[in-house]
Amino acid sequence: MTDAPSTTSIAAETYQKPRNQWWDVWDQFKTHKGALIGAAFFIFVLLFVYLGPLFWTIDPQYIDIRARNQGPSLAHPMGADQLGRDMLARIIAGGQTSIAVGLTAMLLSLIVGTLVGVLAGYFKRLDGILMRLTDLFLALPLLPLLLVIIMLFRDPLRAAFGPEQGIFILIVFVIGITSWMQTARIVRGDVLALKEREFVLAARSIGTPPHRMIVRHILPNVLSPIMVSATLGIANAIITESALSFLGLGFPSDFPTWGRLLFDGTDWLQRNPERVIWPGLAISLTVLSVNYIGDGLRDALDPRIRGR
């Protein structure tokens, strides 16, 4: 005769540790094939541009005059430019700059947009002022504004920080202050909805101060739109930097970025089309992969979609 199972063993069998919410997010993210492919490709790009110099040791500024305008070969898999500089090494170096600009400008725009959105949504007296400021920035013609700011501050910053560092600071600042508005409006809308939720009203009823309310209850619940805006902000920053470099207003000609390589290659388009194809593909595929990641995160972080 077997003993009846004890209450403790039954409870141990029926009890299951609560599943982490991020595992649910990952399960939903995996169902988006485009997001998975985009994430894999973006990781490959990061490894390519940051670990590539360990394996491809040619200096991107090294001039091999005998390889001028040479097509793809074993010595130069992506060819060489008009001075004989290796295009593969310059694509790797350009990717480091373009992705660094994209990530840094995204962080700046995300911080500004989240700050403005949270303050406007939580404090009613600041809502009108901050949203009119946001509308003002949205109404400005961005490309002429970018050009004016760069023309005004390029030379002072280059003199203060050097030609590369000065332009980097200027490009990041310009992109950051002209791309925070969408994040601010999205975050504000979510904060306005969260203010009326029961857990926020309960925390307010026991005297929770506003700064603790924002940090403990508001910010964790607007993480979803912030993360989606972050991925899309990287793509927008890379495109904007490439456009400015293509117009000749970005980094110096001897400092490669993907946009600058594309600009330099247009003069040799008919003779060496690969000079335009390689940086163009790098920009297009990187931006496309980041956009797919953003789509996957948007679906995975939406509780109305997750679990279907």
Side-chain angles (χ1 to χ4, degrees), residues 147-163:
L147 299 180
V148 169
I149 293 176
I150 289 175
M151 295 300 294
L152 288 176
F153 297 101
R154 179 172 56 182
D155 292 337
L157 285 175
R158 290 175 70 174
F161 298 99

Side-chain angles (χ1 to χ4, degrees), residues 85-307:
R85 295 173 294 190
D86 182 71
M87 282 298 297
L88 176 56
R90 292 179 67 76
I91 288 288
I92 292 173
Q96 294 175 2
T97 305
S98 294
I99 292 177
V101 168
L103 292 174
T104 312
M106 175 273 295
L107 285 175
L108 177 60
S109 66
L110 211 62
I111 292 171
V112 175
T114 302
L115 180 63
V116 171
V118 169
L119 292 179
Y122 192 82
F123 299 102
K124 188 175 181 180
R125 63 182 181 275
L126 298 177
D127 189 19
I129 298 173
L130 293 177
M131 283 301 100
R132 299 298 76 77
L133 177 65
T134 304
D135 293 339
L136 173 64
F137 271 86
L138 284 171
L140 292 173
L142 292 185
L143 185 57
L145 178 64
L146 292 173
L147 299 180
V148 169
I149 293 176
I150 289 175
M151 295 300 294
L152 288 176
F153 297 101
R154 179 172 56 182
D155 292 337
L157 285 175
R158 290 175 70 174
F161 298 99
E164 290 86 12
Q165 288 77 9
I167 292 296
F168 182 87
I169 294 172
L170 179 59
I171 294 292
V172 167
F173 177 76
V174 164
I175 296 174
I177 66 168
T178 57
S179 57
W180 56 268
M181 295 81 72
Q182 289 79 9
T183 302
R185 300 187 76 168
I186 294 171
V187 171
R188 171 186 175 269
D190 283 5
V191 171
L192 287 175
L194 284 169
K195 281 174 59 178
E196 307 304 322
R197 298 285 297 274
E198 291 81 359
F199 68 92
V200 174
L201 295 177
R204 188 182 301 159
S205 67
I206 61 174
T208 306
H211 70 276
R212 186 178 295 274
M213 184 83 71
I214 291 173
V215 174
R216 298 274 313 262
H217 300 289
I218 299 297
L219 279 179
N221 286 282
V222 296
L223 188 62
S224 170
I226 290 174
M227 291 182 65
V228 175
S229 296
T231 57
L232 300 179
I234 296 173
N236 176 67
I238 291 175
I239 290 177
T240 305
E241 183 278 323
S242 301
L244 292 173
S245 296
F246 185 79
L247 294 173
L249 296 173
F251 290 90
S253 58
D254 59 345
F255 194 76
T257 68
W258 285 342
R260 187 73 205 193
L261 294 175
L262 191 64
F263 172 73
D264 293 339
T266 53
D267 294 333
W268 307 88
L269 180 59
Q270 293 184 344
R271 181 174 176 179
N272 300 97
E274 67 276 0
R275 293 276 305 278
V276 174
I277 292 174
W278 295 122
L281 278 176
I283 295 169
S284 302
L285 295 179
T286 302
V287 169
L288 185 63
S289 67
V290 172
N291 283 333
Y292 271 120
I293 294 172
D295 288 341
L297 284 176
R298 181 192 59 201
D299 295 345
L301 292 169
D302 190 340
R304 294 168 296 181
I305 297 175
R306 192 191 321 142

Side-chain angles (χ1 to χ4, degrees), residues 52-64 75-76 79-81 83-94 96 254-256:
L54 299 178
F55 303 95
W56 193 256
T57 56
I58 297 178
D59 188 345
Q61 302 296 344
Y62 174 73
I63 296 176
D64 182 5
H76 304 286
D81 65 6
L83 298 178
R85 295 173 294 190
D86 182 71
M87 282 298 297
L88 176 56
R90 292 179 67 76
I91 288 288
I92 292 173
Q96 294 175 2
D254 59 345
F255 194 76

